[in-house]
Amino acid sequence: MTTHSRTTTYFRQPPGRGPGSGLFHPALFYRSEAEYLDAVGRFVRAAVLGRGAQALVVVPGPRLERLRAHLADLDERVTWLDMTEAGRNPGRLLSLFREFADRHESSESRPSIVGEPLYAARGPFETVEALRHQALVNLAFAGRRVSVLCPYDVTLPERVLEAARRIHPVVTEDGVQRISPDFADPLDVCRSFDTPLPDPVDPLVVEFGEHELALARGTAEDWASRCGLSPARRTDWLLAIGEAAGNSVRHGGGRGTLRMWRDENSLVAEIRDGGQLTDPLVGRRRPDPRSPHGGRGVWIMHQLCDLVELRAGADELVLRLHMAVE
């Protein structure tokens, strides 16, 4: 690929990824705030002024305010969201992105999205799920006329930057856009994140089947109350656990195991059963209430919890729900 000067190379769509050719999913590795504002600003301006498209910008709060000031003249054509709120659970982001694209994608319009789910304050478990989200963008928008820019601060851990090179077909670094030689199949990338989850210390354990669902919910409610979870958050906690346990009975062999423990500032509920996960995008789209297909329960869990982790083995499905105690 021919390279260009720093002032002209930002986000030139490579052959096969032009306006009519489907998803454009570049990564931006930035070293300074000035570079960030310049590069992201160019991307958004190209969408709004160059193509007349709508743009969605979801980045961490401090960067959001500075970027919004930088693009003040475009404010009415851009939807602005704080990543630390809208993407607190990275599993919510694809649903958000897809709903935006569904509203604005057409044969004449290519909606553009800026999403920065990786930032320094992310914990290690959140970081894995944020990277998984990035890889799933390639599956969720395959063949669609959508552009999704993902900025990465180069001070992030090297393992995060290495994963970004595998996730994104195009990477812009030091002002130069290149095809990523490390780009890999999104499913293979997602599988690389499916490492075993660490075992908890002394969890509360409840075995359940169809006739013990009420017992499992009651135990979860009493334990969360003792741990100081507020009434409002406790309602969300119980609804998420109820959906997970119900899925175990309906789809996971009729039985499951609920384990609960406290992890730093969060409560964690783990549900294990004999189910299978065949769709990596399950729960990543708002379900159609008229659809006979599944996914409603997992989508609800993502909306209610601060983090959702899924691990699928050959004969076991493990689901972990995290809820911060605030």
Side-chain angles (χ1 to χ4, degrees), residues 210-240:
E210 181 178 3
H211 300 296
E212 293 82 32
L213 287 175
L215 171 64
R217 286 193 295 266
T219 303
E221 181 174 20
D222 291 344
W223 181 78
S225 178
R226 293 197 303 271
C227 289
L229 197 63
S230 69
R233 298 229 81 194
R234 200 155 64 237
T235 297
D236 292 345
W237 165 263
L238 293 174
L239 180 54

Side-chain angles (χ1 to χ4, degrees), residues 9-277:
T9 57
Y10 285 128
F11 315 118
R12 182 186 300 274
Q13 297 192 20
R17 296 187 182 275
S21 60
L23 174 65
F24 179 50
H25 187 204
L28 165 69
F29 287 10
Y30 65 91
R31 300 180 183 278
S32 68
E33 181 176 316
E35 182 181 15
Y36 180 85
L37 293 177
D38 182 39
V40 178
R42 286 173 182 266
F43 178 85
V44 176
R45 287 189 185 280
V48 174
L49 300 180
R51 299 193 300 273
Q54 292 285 327
L56 170 66
V57 176
V58 193
V59 300
R63 296 193 188 110
L64 181 73
E65 294 308 313
R66 290 190 285 270
L67 191 59
R68 191 167 188 173
H70 183 66
L71 298 172
D73 57 311
L74 306 182
D75 207 56
E76 293 183 359
R77 299 295 301 275
V78 181
T79 300
W80 306 92
L81 294 174
D82 186 342
M83 179 62 76
T84 64
E85 297 176 2
R88 180 173 183 172
N89 173 5
R92 300 173 189 162
L93 289 170
L94 263 186
S95 179
L96 176 68
F97 289 8
R98 292 168 96 170
E99 288 178 29
F100 178 82
D102 289 346
R103 289 195 303 272
H104 299 293
E105 183 185 7
S106 70
S107 58
E108 294 80 28
S109 178
R110 167 186 281 271
S112 291
I113 299 168
V114 179
E116 187 177 3
L118 277 300
Y119 49 88
R122 286 286 197 200
F125 300 143
E126 293 175 347
T127 294
V128 169
E129 296 309 315
L131 288 169
R132 187 191 304 276
H133 154 76
Q134 299 284 57
L136 290 175
V137 166
N138 294 313
L139 298 178
F141 292 105
R144 295 190 59 173
R145 290 171 41 82
V146 178
S147 296
V148 183
L149 170 66
C150 303
Y152 293 82
D153 188 329
V154 297
T155 63
L156 289 168
E158 184 58 34
R159 62 184 176 82
V160 172
L161 302 181
E162 289 175 356
R165 293 185 176 95
R166 298 183 67 217
I167 289 168
H168 298 275
V170 176
V171 175
T172 294
E173 189 170 9
D174 294 327
V176 179
Q177 177 179 290
R178 299 184 178 90
I179 300 294
S180 175
D182 301 318
F183 179 67
D185 184 299
L187 289 175
D188 290 339
V189 176
C190 287
R191 291 188 192 104
S192 73
F193 300 138
D194 287 334
T195 54
L197 295 168
D199 277 330
V201 177
D202 195 24
L204 176 63
V205 180
V206 182
E207 303 285 346
F208 65 87
E210 181 178 3
H211 300 296
E212 293 82 32
L213 287 175
L215 171 64
R217 286 193 295 266
T219 303
E221 181 174 20
D222 291 344
W223 181 78
S225 178
R226 293 197 303 271
C227 289
L229 197 63
S230 69
R233 298 229 81 194
R234 200 155 64 237
T235 297
D236 292 345
W237 165 263
L238 293 174
L239 180 54
I241 290 177
E243 290 288 342
N247 280 349
S248 293
V249 170
R250 290 188 295 272
H251 309 297
R255 298 196 61 81
T257 301
L258 168 65
R259 300 197 298 175
M260 295 176 289
W261 65 95
R262 186 155 186 163
D263 183 5
E264 295 182 353
N265 296 320
S266 295
L267 304 188
V268 185
E270 177 191 271
I271 297 89
R272 290 177 178 258
D273 59 44
Q276 297 291 313
L277 183 67

